[in-house]
Amino acid sequence: TLIFSTIGSNMAQKPISDLEKRVMNIVWKENICSARDILLELKTEKKFAYTTIATVLQRLYEKGLVEKKKNGLGYLYSPKLTQKKYSTHVIRNFFAKMIDSFGDTAIASFAESIEKLPKEKKEQLLKLLADHAKK
């Protein structure tokens, strides 16, 4: 539970599905949108029922990823946190679970995977680790 208190415990405990990710990407892009707006954006990929998108948005609300405000007969949705904050949370949570489950093996595997990164990414990661160690 690294940052549950700052983001909300619901979000941290329930993973999101592929469709929820696609819907969240639209919410992040639009910043404020309705289920109908999302339906229109997704129609180029696949035909979804309005109720499907409304259900997905309700699940994202329950998971603490979106806020909703009444707007006529429906709702307007907006992101509760930025895409960067969400990504950071997911990655931190993943690493914490791996270290809790596999201990030193997870850390060694991560260190070995650094060697496979392109030179620029490897240097960037090592710099971030060094900067973090100074704090």
Side-chain angles (χ1 to χ4, degrees):
T1 57
L2 294 170
I3 56 176
F4 295 143
S5 60
T6 58
I7 292 180
S9 60
N10 288 344
M11 184 206 55
Q13 296 171 355
K14 298 177 185 174
I16 65 174
S17 70
D18 288 338
L19 181 55
E20 288 171 331
K21 287 176 196 172
R22 288 163 54 201
V23 169
M24 266 316 297
N25 284 332
I26 294 168
V27 174
W28 278 316
K29 183 178 97 177
E30 299 298 327
N31 202 40
I32 297 174
C33 56
S34 67
R36 190 153 316 282
D37 296 332
I38 291 168
L39 193 61
L40 290 171
E41 182 116 4
L42 288 173
K43 81 175 185 178
T44 59
E45 300 174 31
K46 184 178 173 185
K47 189 172 183 174
F48 291 98
Y50 177 87
T51 53
T52 300
I53 301 305
T55 299
V56 169
L57 285 163
Q58 180 59 32
R59 287 185 187 148
L60 291 169
Y61 173 76
E62 290 168 1
K63 292 177 181 183
L65 288 169
V66 297
E67 295 176 344
K68 67 179 183 177
K69 292 186 180 173
K70 191 81 171 137
N71 182 40
L73 297 175
Y75 292 93
L76 288 176
Y77 297 87
S78 58
K80 201 166 185 177
L81 63 159
T82 66
Q83 191 170 11
K84 183 178 179 179
K85 275 191 177 182
Y86 174 72
S87 298
T88 299
H89 169 75
V90 169
I91 292 165
R92 285 182 180 174
N93 195 36
F94 172 79
F95 278 122
K97 284 181 181 178
M98 289 299 106
I99 292 169
D100 284 349
S101 298
F102 302 105
D104 290 343
T105 303
I107 294 168
S109 178
F110 175 71
E112 289 170 14
S113 68
I114 292 173
E115 291 302 318
K116 296 176 183 168
L117 290 173
K119 183 180 178 186
E120 304 80 35
K121 293 292 180 187
K122 179 180 173 182
E123 289 171 358
Q124 181 184 10
L125 178 59
L126 292 173
K127 182 184 180 320
L128 287 170
L129 289 170
D131 291 348
H132 185 72
K134 291 177 187 175
K135 292 180 183 177

